[in-house]
Each structure stands twice: as C-alpha cells, then as structure tokens.
C-alpha cells in the first residue's frame, strides 16, 4: 500500500504565449486509460482548428501506465516534455492536453520543449493538487469516564474525529494515519486501563481540501 501520493482533485487550464504561438493546457483527473483517451478526443474536437493537440497522462499510484503524444510536433518536443513535468511533480492519475495555435514563427526544438513544459506547469498551477494519505477508520468505544481522556489523546495526536455517537457508551470514529496507530493504541489503553475497545472499520485514503477532510476508497 502506497502511504501517500499526489493527484489532481480538480482540473484546470493555463495558457502561455511564445512568439505569437498560443499554448493552452487543459488538465483533468482520470482513473483509467479509457478516460484519458476520451478526454484527448474531446480536446481535439473542441480545438479542431488548432495546429496541434499534444497529450500526456499518468495512471496508477506506481505509474503503471504512462503515455504521451507529440501530435505532429517534432519527436520528443511536446508529449515527452509534458509527461516529464507530471512525473517530476509526482502527479498521479492525471491527463493533460496542450493545444497549440501556431503564431507563424518556428520555435526550434528547445523552444518547443520549454513552451510545452511551461504550459503544463501553468495548467497544474491552476488545478487543485492534493496529497492522498493512507489511513484507517478506527472505532473507539469507551464509557463516559473515558471520553475526556479519548478526546485529549486524539487532540494531542492530532487525529481527525469523523463521528461521535453518545448512547449508553461512547462510540468515536477516528481517522488514523499508520504512524499514529501504535502510540494512540498504547496511550488510550493505558489511560482507560484497557477498557476502551478498538476496531478497524476500513482502510482509506484521505486528504484535506479547503480545510475539509475528505475520504477516498483505498
């Protein structure tokens, strides 16, 4: 299990102009190659009058699938440089299309590489990039004498409480990063003299977006 990885939460667009050529980057999150192929075709239809619609995408937490296309630009001057940006930034499950409207001036191979990379970076700058972190949903049950201790330990360990249910006992669902599980278990066991119940409900990925903790399937 990958402990954490970066991905696109919300895609974006970015544009640069180099010697009157317009380079428009469009970035989206993807989960499979079919989505990437469909996206590239959509961009080609949208920008049907452009000289080139170059593309790159990365799929999988271990970069299991990577593809790129120069779409008529000189070999290795567009798709590969765009792909290199995604890989160097450590972005996963992401596709980018950079559309070029030719401005009448040749840029040369070095100029093309720089322009396509700059456009890709501008697109990423205008996207929402998050880091998904692996963790567990942990159910903690305790009596009312232990709730204060539970809340204190969760706070000092900087854990997120997803839900708390008060009935004849207290049931709290916590989000537990792997590096916190051992110390939390030890502290809550000692604080409640072993009376607190601990149960792993699920394994998830989570990320903080605009101050809100979001859960994703593992």
């Amino acid at each position: 299990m990958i402990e954490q990885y970066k991905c696109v939460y919300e895609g974006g667009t970015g544009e640069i102009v180099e010697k009157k050529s317009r380079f428009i980057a469009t970035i989206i999150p993807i989960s499979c190659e079919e989505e990437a192929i469909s996206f590239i075709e959509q961009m080609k239809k949208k920008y049907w009058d452009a000289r080139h619609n170059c593309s790159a995408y990365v799929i999988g937490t271990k970069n299991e699938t990577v593809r790129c296309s120069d779409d008529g630009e000189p070999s290795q001057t567009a798709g590969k440089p765009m792909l290199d940006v995604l890989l160097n930034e450590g972005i996963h499950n992401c596709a980018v299309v950079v559309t070029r409207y030719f401005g009448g001036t040749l840029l040369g191979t070095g100029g093309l590489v720089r322009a396509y990379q700059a456009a890709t970076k501008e697109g990423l700058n205008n996207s929402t990039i998050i880091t998904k972190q692996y963790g567990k949903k942990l159910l903690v049950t305790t009596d009312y004498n232990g709730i204060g201790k539970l809340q204190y330990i969760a706070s000092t360990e900087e854990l997120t409480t997803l839900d708390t249910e008060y009935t004849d006992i207290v049931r709290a669902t916590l989000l537990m990063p792997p590096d916190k599980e051992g110390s939390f278990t030890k502290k809550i066991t000692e604080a409640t003299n072993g009376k607190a119940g601990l149960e792993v409900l699920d394994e998830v990925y989570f990320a903080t977006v605009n101050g809100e903790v979001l859960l994703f399937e593992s």
Side-chain angles (χ1 to χ4, degrees):
M1 184 72 69
I2 301 295
E3 284 199 5
Q4 63 179 31
Y5 65 96
K6 292 167 63 177
C7 63
V8 176
Y9 179 67
E10 290 183 348
T13 61
E15 180 177 340
I16 68 165
V17 177
E18 186 66 31
K19 294 183 179 179
K20 298 183 179 179
S21 279
R22 294 175 61 204
F23 294 84
I24 306 166
T26 306
I27 291 176
I28 66 166
I30 56 172
S31 60
C32 63
E33 193 160 19
E34 288 76 13
E35 290 180 4
I37 294 171
S38 175
F39 165 63
I40 293 167
E41 290 304 314
Q42 290 173 19
M43 291 298 100
K44 288 183 176 181
K45 290 179 181 178
K46 178 179 180 179
Y47 296 109
W48 60 270
D49 57 340
R51 179 71 67 91
H52 306 282
N53 284 286
C54 306
S55 59
Y57 56 89
V58 180
I59 301 171
T61 57
K62 297 180 180 180
N63 301 336
E64 288 88 346
T65 302
V66 295
R67 301 278 189 273
C68 62
S69 169
D70 295 312
D71 194 39
E73 291 281 31
S75 179
Q76 304 290 304
T77 63
K80 179 62 163 56
M82 294 160 55
L83 180 61
D84 287 343
V85 171
L86 300 182
L87 295 175
N88 290 338
E89 293 289 333
I91 305 294
H92 302 264
N93 297 331
C94 170
V96 55
V97 170
V98 175
T99 301
R100 182 190 183 189
Y101 284 96
F102 185 54
T105 302
L106 296 175
L107 301 182
T109 56
L112 286 173
V113 168
R114 289 189 293 273
Y116 278 102
Q117 288 192 326
T120 302
K121 291 177 181 179
E122 187 67 15
L124 288 175
N125 288 340
N126 293 324
S127 302
T128 302
I129 309 298
I130 63 174
T131 298
K132 289 185 178 181
Q133 183 174 347
Y134 170 75
K136 297 177 181 179
K137 288 173 65 175
L138 185 69
L139 176 65
V140 183
T141 55
T142 181
D143 56 26
Y144 280 81
N145 292 326
I147 184 59
K149 298 171 183 177
L150 170 59
Q151 292 172 336
Y152 174 76
I153 295 171
S155 175
T156 58
E157 291 287 310
E158 299 181 335
L159 303 179
T160 298
T161 301
L162 300 174
D163 182 53
T164 305
E165 179 184 356
Y166 298 91
T167 57
D168 54 326
I169 60 173
V170 180
R171 296 178 177 87
T173 304
L174 306 179
L175 192 54
M176 186 70 58
D179 60 338
K180 299 284 189 176
E181 187 173 1
S183 59
F184 174 80
T185 299
K186 183 175 184 294
K187 289 179 180 179
I188 196 66
T189 299
E190 292 177 349
T192 63
N193 294 319
K195 294 180 180 179
L198 303 174
E199 179 186 355
V200 175
L201 298 178
D202 199 6
E203 296 182 351
V204 298
Y205 278 99
F206 66 94
T208 302
V209 181
N210 298 324
E212 181 182 0
V213 177
L214 302 180
L215 303 184
F216 306 87
E217 292 184 2
S218 60

